Amino acid sequence: MVVRSASTVALAGLGGLARPYLSRAADRPGIAYGLASGDVSTDSAVVWARADRPARMLVECSTLESFKTIIGVASSEALPEHDFTSKALLQGLPAGRTFSTAFGLKTSVNPG
């Protein structure tokens, strides 16, 4: 048996998700290649991403996929002098654990 919420059934009846009348998605920085990680040590890791314009990358790290508990936060600027690539160091990570990361970009306050 499949259980669905009333909103799921209502949306299915409409033939899809409702879309906002006005979207500002084109105004937001984009990222084409996702988040990469490397230089992993016993208690840290470097994460990086490349934006399509000046932006600030925000990264959160958790040992839970639900992100109920955040164990690491980092941010850095993606600026033209670094080919819009942002690199941040997550520190103080517990050894021997698997992590989930969530990241986003916002318009940079210092576009370079």
Side-chain angles (χ1 to χ4, degrees):
M1 180 164 97
V2 176
V3 178
R4 293 189 176 137
S5 69
S7 61
T8 303
V9 173
L11 286 174
L14 292 174
L17 296 175
R19 291 188 176 89
Y21 174 73
L22 177 65
S23 174
R24 299 198 188 273
D27 296 339
R28 292 184 220 138
I31 190 162
Y33 306 108
L35 184 71
S37 63
D39 295 334
V40 178
S41 73
T42 57
D43 67 346
S44 67
V46 175
V47 294
W48 65 92
R50 184 168 181 236
D52 64 352
R53 65 189 86 176
R56 175 171 278 286
M57 177 180 70
L58 306 168
V59 182
E60 293 181 335
C61 181
S62 177
T63 54
L64 305 171
E65 287 185 22
S66 67
F67 284 85
K68 185 175 181 180
T69 304
I70 305 297
I71 61 168
V73 177
S75 69
S76 73
E77 297 285 333
L79 299 173
E81 54 266 24
H82 298 288
D83 199 26
F84 303 115
T85 300
S86 178
K87 183 166 71 170
L89 178 64
L90 290 166
Q91 297 182 43
L93 305 176
R97 301 291 301 269
T98 300
F99 302 98
S100 295
T101 54
F103 74 103
L105 295 173
K106 69 177 192 173
T107 302
S108 179
V109 294
N110 179 17

